[in-house]
Amino acid sequence: MTSNSVKELLSKNLIVQEVVVNGWVKSFRSNRFIALNDGSTLANIQCVVDFEKLDEHVLKQIHTGAALKVSGTLVESQGSGQSVEIQVKDIFVHGGANPDTYPIQPKKHSLEFLREKAHLRIRTNTFAAIMRVRSALSFAIHQYFTENGFYYFHSPIITGSDAEGAGEMFRVTTLEGKNPPLNEDGSINFKEDFFGKETNLTVSGQLEAEAYAMALGKVYTFGPTFRAENSNTSRHLAEFWMVEPEVAFNDLDDNMDLAEDFIKKVVQYILQHCGEDLQFLEKRLLDEEKSKPQAERSAMPLIEKLKFVAENTFQRVTYTEAIEILRNSKPNKKKKFQYIIDEWGADLQSEHERYLVEKHFKCPVILFDYPAKIKAFYMRLNEDGKTVRAMDILFPGIGEIVGGSQREERLEVLKEKMAALNIPEEELWWYLDLRKFGSAVHSGFGLGFERLVLFATGMGNIRDVIPFPRTPQNAEF
Amino acid sequence: MTSNSVKELLSKNLIVQEVVVNGWVKSFRSNRFIALNDGSTLANIQCVVDFEKLDEHVLKQIHTGAALKVSGTLVESQGSGQSVEIQVKDIFVHGGANPDTYPIQPKKHSLEFLREKAHLRIRTNTFAAIMRVRSALSFAIHQYFTENGFYYFHSPIITGSDAEGAGEMFRVTTLEGKNPPLNEDGSINFKEDFFGKETNLTVSGQLEAEAYAMALGKVYTFGPTFRAENSNTSRHLAEFWMVEPEVAFNDLDDNMDLAEDFIKKVVQYILQHCGEDLQFLEKRLLDEEKSKPQAERSAMPLIEKLKFVAENTFQRVTYTEAIEILRNSKPNKKKKFQYIIDEWGADLQSEHERYLVEKHFKCPVILFDYPAKIKAFYMRLNEDGKTVRAMDILFPGIGEIVGGSQREERLEVLKEKMAALNIPEEELWWYLDLRKFGSAVHSGFGLGFERLVLFATGMGNIRDVIPFPRTPQNAEF
């Protein structure tokens, strides 16, 4: 007999029906009520057993975490809290879970404790909810771009170029680690390495995405990117997923429109598809924040916050305007900022971004037209000669969630920028080709996917929103 | 004025309307007809200019590859071959393309020539069509799994485990290449490496996917995987994308059902959504094969082949049956096979797989229940003690496109298998945990995404179906 998922059983409202369901025991109380979950949804199906009729050997194996196949009759529930339940006829134990050694017991475990058990933490309601939301966000991203005429493009992970300068990179090699082959001058002979040159893990697929946008028009990447930075913070991972759309003929205004519409639509998608999980995560956050002082609690409950983002226009502000606001702000005048803003050109710190988003505008903010000298070489220079067509989207509680720009499409200007930064043209000959042949205005942005998942789930540590986090000194599993 | 994509202009059938379109010149003939393409679709929009009214400076820049913004009136086409065309009022040249140096001219370029120009080859009809089909297949995969209750799971790319033994691995490191820190015994001190241990690029997300399936029920990965094998063939890449579903409570029969249904549905998706590109690729293949002897040509045109796969049942055959067929086959008896099949237990070579698929069954074949000794340690041992619940799907012209199995869910059997292969239990403590706590029958498979794209596009070399291929001695771009 075919089995049904818990989600199907709970949603069908079919009364009196012979069913089979597989899942794991969440709890077993009074030798009578098994709460069974199979991951298809947050809710459990209640399985009611008559312990006097059940084989004692089976009964003894029904503990939290055990995998069961339950056969019985789906009936209207007698108790409160669920619409239907199963009157159990038969139970097959796929595999037990010794309560003395199984770490995931029906009690509160700290997130730190669960991080050490990343292979089992997915069996908790919290992590199952997070990862279902993460999966829904991923699909929403693919659906959004597909519906809007974008092509998904797989940018290379191993790269021979280190010109982008977005951060420290991991070397990828098959050379013998201890005695690598050397050149006559004593340097490593990378010609003998797998790719015949020094290679690294990518920090961004943008440059390659530009090549594809200049032919397919609208493309996006969604893949892993890497930073070998020794940052042990709640916001940084060594391996994370990034979404990078790139659009030919889009200027910075189009780019901001795209980013704002994109974020709103994917947030709407999870509001529509992940209601139960979001309610659970909202409650989790409220519970967690009970012990915090009022000032540190979230301004809005999770779902209200998501709706707020989905429904309200993001505030667009130039860097120059932002500097004026910050310069005249109370914390700046009272020297409460760690970094006092006193002149144009200063790089904004997280404290400044938070002030703008959380105190001044109280909504997502798009900052644009940054000073050229604090931004990357490929961003398009404005006519003023000192700012570039860059934009960052800042989110409450998260900080920068999107960074993007209109790209410099003029060959000579780009060459000057590269020369000033000592980026050799030979390194990026192919990137320069895009400006030699059929060049055009184009723009794109990068969205740190885990930061979006943090925002969507209300979690506080980025290690808790990716299945197996990679951080300094940690690549377990 | 907002611009439209070429796809929109061609599909709308709106007659007499002021339009703006951006794109690249495919060809310009008789100083009058510009074929403009923006990547949104294979077809071009014809733009008709009155060269006597056009600025001479603009006219001189209209060459193949130039990026233009064209404004004009959309009218019913006078010529044949297109339904509508633009009567041009104005042209803005975003960027020219010097015909003396631009490599992508409107003539036939060899695939080898284009491989050296991976950043520009996407501007040819062939590569644009391939990559649009690739993108559509990607979306079809995400949609199939989402609609069938699977959760997308991002398996880690950097891994501290090398126990799976699926192939040679790339080392990931931040240690100084020439003088790495050493332990007292002279070995490399990996404690000083970024992750505090030796790390590699993943060869498969399966083991981690199993952990997630044992909580979320149905999961899949779709991400990059790596092999550091010095294979310079038309079927191998050092970096490629793999799809790996994993399902709790599925046995091998369920697994074969899933794989067959999955492949059929994603093929149906591109038949529905990529008609124009597939027709183009079918014609390309026919042209290419004209110069080949009849015996080496494809048995069916591309689209017929895709429909055949989508509509016909895959032949399921045990390894044991396959060996019998091969042993009694003509090429075996006449010693035409390079590797003669004379006894049970032999590993099948590509020549044998091709015989089964292309000569004997003439359809996709699922081989299952392989000898344990030629398959991986985690595959479930059958009651006969000598075969495992493994399955491979073999496709005409491609060979193995899917490899999967029911996983060994019994702790003691798994431990014995690991011991026999000298895989230390400490390496996979967490994988063993899945068998200690709530273990159950489960199954999954891996599909090499580029092999599916090869099949779907009729291309012959795997380097031509991924944007920037990574192969031995090649990590350009």
Side-chain angles (χ1 to χ4, degrees), chain A residues 24 40 65 95-96 119 123 134-135 151-152 154 157-158 171 173 175 178 186 194 239 433 437-438 470 473, chain B residues 24 40 65 96 119 123 134-135 151-152 154 157-158 171 173 175 178 186 194 239 433 437-439 470 473:
Chain A
W24 293 271
S40 62
H119 62 310
R123 301 180 182 197
R134 183 181 166 107
S135 174
Y151 296 105
Y152 183 31
H154 289 115
I157 310 299
I158 298 172
R171 204 165 70 254
T173 182
L175 289 181
K178 218 176 118 185
F194 189 90
E239 173 182 315
D433 265 7
F437 308 120
R470 267 65 179 117
Q473 298 297 308
Chain B
W24 293 272
S40 61
H119 63 309
R123 301 180 182 198
R134 183 182 166 107
S135 174
Y151 296 105
Y152 183 31
H154 289 114
I157 310 300
I158 298 171
R171 203 164 70 255
T173 182
L175 288 180
K178 217 177 122 187
F194 189 90
E239 172 182 314
D433 265 7
F437 308 120
S439 187
R470 268 64 179 118
Q473 299 295 312

Side-chain angles (χ1 to χ4, degrees), chain B residues 295-324:
Chain B
E296 288 175 30
R297 294 183 200 171
S298 305
M300 293 178 195
L302 181 62
I303 294 173
E304 195 181 324
K305 182 187 75 172
L306 295 177
K307 283 188 182 156
F308 182 84
V309 164
E311 289 162 11
N312 286 281
T313 305
F314 296 4
Q315 185 74 40
R316 300 187 189 187
V317 192
T318 65
Y319 167 89
T320 304
E321 290 164 339
I323 285 290
E324 277 313 297

